[in-house]
Amino acid sequence: MEKTYPLQMCQWRLAVIWLLGSCVLFILMAFQVAGGKYGNEDQKAWGWLLPQVLPILSMIGGAIVYQMNRSDENIVVTSFAYRATWVVSLIYLLLVLTTVALVPIAEQEQGIKPIDFLPKMGPVLTGLSAIASSILAAFFVSSKPKA
Amino acid sequence: MLTVTANRSTSERYRARLACVVGLLTLAMLCGCGAKMEETTTSTPPVEMPMDTSMMLPDTSMADTTMHDGHTGSDPEDPPPPPMSAPPDEITQFPWPPPEPTLRYSIPRQLIARDSTESSGRVVDRITTALNRAGIDMWSIHAIGSKGFAVIGRMEHIKDNGTPDDPRFSLGAQRNRKFDLGAYLKALIFATPGRYRVIVIAITPEVIRQYGKSPTAAQLETLLHEGASDLPDPMRGHAIGRIRPEALIYEFHRRDAHSEPVLVNSNRTTLSAVDHLAGAGIWSKDQLVGERNP
């Protein structure tokens, strides 16, 4: 017997994960910018971070707003879809956080400028971002009216 | 709140559809990442050290100078160095008027020479011994006109109190093998600024009336490498005469580990000249302040 969850609850939980993760990243980068970590290249640092989280945050926000207008419908999603989306979201956000956290280590060990290190994880993050987006999309596709 | 669906075949169909979508997208993205990584590898230009275009010496007389054998970093593709044009008995001239320092200090004469009849050789030996004792193991000597000379020490990495920092003679950051959470968090948030200094001890009968253009760290480094390791013999035998020993202190600051050190103006430094000289360990504060001529 397949477990299902109410779509609205799942959307809010995912939104909370993404909002919390994004807040941590934004606050960390704000401290780094204030501390002069990126020198005169603050704009490049923000330009790296924003595309990592904003598209998916926008998608989740749009989905929640759309669903709020249809709150009378009792829609559920499968537990597999929800868990998969949750895990991939968490892995993705942790990977973005790890990239920022590795900056001082790369700087000390390899002498790489902080702003030059961030794009080095680009291929991995781009790939995982696309996977996270597709899984989130699939998550919403998997929703169906309650039987 | 959990609800249970009765239709098992429907949920299996959804799961299979989801798995197919995810698998196809993963495959597509991995192919895309591979291509992107290859493109990054092939298109990234080699990392080059920033080149200070103002490395040309301000004094054109320095252009035809004798190269000290401590010169390093020559690129095999660089043109060969110019032939030695200075006669063997001459040493390179220190730019005069001297490049504008952060701080200047008149060193008590007793620390430099016992009396005016003492030879220049003895005086230069006394200065270089003081530098060596302080751990400044690389220095070079330039002439100031025909009666004076300047000893320039290598650039030191210093703490905020003027004492040497670790690593003392490197612009590179300190490498800690032991993990320190506090240091890591500090490095995560803040840039790694650096404070550096170069000390020049100028022995000349001339009065410093004006200064030249502020030097860059690269220019001082060039001066260090182009200077001689000793005074020529004829000059060593000269009586030092009436001299004005001056310490010219060039303090540099850089905001992070990847920017060039910039000279600090005298109204921006928090250290005094005595703090610098005593911090370097060349002389003590008591010697510098106490041993004044009447």
Side-chain angles (χ1 to χ4, degrees):
Chain A
M1 191 172 289
E2 180 72 18
K3 277 185 183 175
T4 58
Y5 298 99
L7 177 64
Q8 211 164 11
M9 181 196 78
C10 296
Q11 283 178 337
W12 277 109
R13 284 187 180 177
L14 285 171
V16 166
I17 291 171
W18 276 90
L19 278 174
L20 277 178
S22 303
C23 276
V24 169
L25 287 165
F26 284 135
I27 289 170
L28 178 58
M29 187 150 283
F31 270 100
Q32 288 184 317
V33 167
K37 190 71 194 168
Y38 299 104
N40 296 323
E41 298 176 301
D42 301 341
Q43 299 291 331
K44 281 188 186 174
W46 287 117
W48 173 83
L49 177 62
L50 294 180
Q52 307 296 338
V53 289
L54 275 191
I56 295 179
L57 268 181
S58 307
M59 190 172 80
I60 292 174
I64 288 175
V65 169
Y66 173 73
Q67 203 59 38
M68 281 169 79
N69 295 330
R70 307 170 64 208
S71 55
D72 52 328
E73 292 183 28
N74 195 359
I75 298 176
V76 292
V77 290
T78 62
S79 66
F80 173 77
Y82 170 61
R83 285 179 204 280
T85 312
W86 195 89
V87 169
V88 170
S89 295
L90 196 67
I91 289 173
Y92 177 73
L93 287 168
L94 282 175
L95 200 62
V96 177
L97 185 64
T98 303
T99 304
V100 180
L102 284 174
V103 160
I105 295 172
E107 191 179 14
Q108 181 178 316
E109 295 299 320
Q110 299 183 49
I112 300 175
K113 279 175 78 173
I115 197 64
D116 292 340
F117 175 73
L118 295 178
K120 281 187 181 290
M121 298 287 274
V124 178
L125 287 176
T126 306
L128 200 60
S129 168
I131 291 170
S133 304
S134 60
I135 287 187
L136 274 164
F139 166 76
F140 293 115
V141 169
S142 77
S143 62
K144 56 187 180 291
K146 186 179 176 184
Chain B
M1 187 174 70
L2 295 177
T3 58
V4 179
T5 53
N7 192 342
R8 185 179 176 82
S9 62
T10 308
S11 69
E12 281 174 355
R13 206 167 52 243
Y14 276 119
R15 183 182 290 185
R17 194 189 303 164
L18 177 68
C20 284
V21 168
V22 171
L24 283 171
L25 281 167
T26 308
L27 193 62
M29 287 317 301
L30 286 175
C31 292
C33 289
K36 193 170 180 179
M37 283 173 75
E38 192 179 341
E39 185 185 330
T40 309
T41 314
T42 53
S43 65
T44 305
V47 178
E48 289 181 6
M49 292 298 288
M51 188 69 160
D52 187 355
T53 52
S54 63
M55 277 181 69
M56 293 295 291
L57 292 169
D59 186 353
T60 52
S61 67
M62 299 295 292
D64 54 350
T65 52
T66 308
M67 291 291 289
H68 183 45
D69 56 2
H71 181 73
T72 57
S74 61
D75 192 306
E77 291 183 2
D78 281 351
M84 293 170 60
S85 58
D89 284 351
E90 289 183 12
I91 57 173
T92 55
Q93 287 284 328
F94 191 75
W96 203 265
E100 185 169 9
T102 305
L103 297 165
R104 181 190 64 81
Y105 189 73
S106 294
I107 304 167
R109 214 167 296 156
Q110 295 91 325
L111 292 176
I112 300 295
R114 302 210 188 286
D115 54 53
S116 59
T117 60
E118 197 167 28
S119 69
S120 296
R122 293 286 296 273
V123 170
V124 83
D125 288 345
R126 192 169 292 123
I127 292 170
T128 54
T129 301
L131 290 174
N132 285 336
R133 198 172 49 232
I136 302 173
D137 56 352
M138 188 175 177
W139 36 260
S140 70
I141 302 169
H142 295 260
I144 299 176
S146 59
K147 294 180 179 172
F149 60 88
V151 182
I152 178 171
R154 67 192 293 197
M155 182 175 277
E156 284 181 276
H157 181 204
I158 58 169
K159 295 178 186 169
D160 287 342
N161 62 3
T163 56
D165 204 346
D166 191 23
R168 185 171 180 181
F169 298 112
S170 171
L171 290 176
Q174 185 182 3
R175 293 170 71 105
N176 284 331
R177 284 287 154 217
K178 271 177 69 178
F179 182 77
D180 177 0
L181 184 62
Y184 166 75
L185 290 175
K186 195 178 167 189
L188 177 64
I189 302 294
F190 299 104
T192 316
R195 206 167 172 175
Y196 306 88
R197 74 163 159 244
V198 173
I199 295 175
V200 175
I201 297 169
I203 308 295
T204 171
E206 294 185 41
V207 177
I208 300 175
R209 298 182 196 280
Q210 59 176 338
Y211 292 112
K213 198 178 160 191
S214 298
T216 63
Q219 285 168 344
L220 292 179
E221 185 74 7
T222 306
L223 278 175
L224 174 69
H225 287 297
E226 291 188 340
S229 59
D230 199 356
L231 288 175
D233 285 340
M235 207 170 163
R236 281 186 69 89
H238 287 168
I240 196 73
R242 179 145 183 93
I243 52 164
R244 292 182 171 83
E246 301 274 1
L248 305 173
I249 292 143
Y250 299 89
E251 185 181 328
F252 292 87
H253 179 265
R254 63 174 181 176
R255 54 184 294 180
D256 58 59
H258 306 281
S259 57
E260 288 295 306
V262 176
L263 188 76
V264 177
N265 290 328
S266 57
N267 57 358
R268 299 299 298 269
T269 181
T270 54
L271 293 169
S272 67
V274 172
D275 290 334
H276 276 293
L277 292 169
I282 301 172
W283 294 291
S284 68
K285 281 190 179 181
D286 287 342
Q287 286 177 309
L288 290 163
V289 179
E291 296 192 19
R292 284 274 173 209
N293 278 335

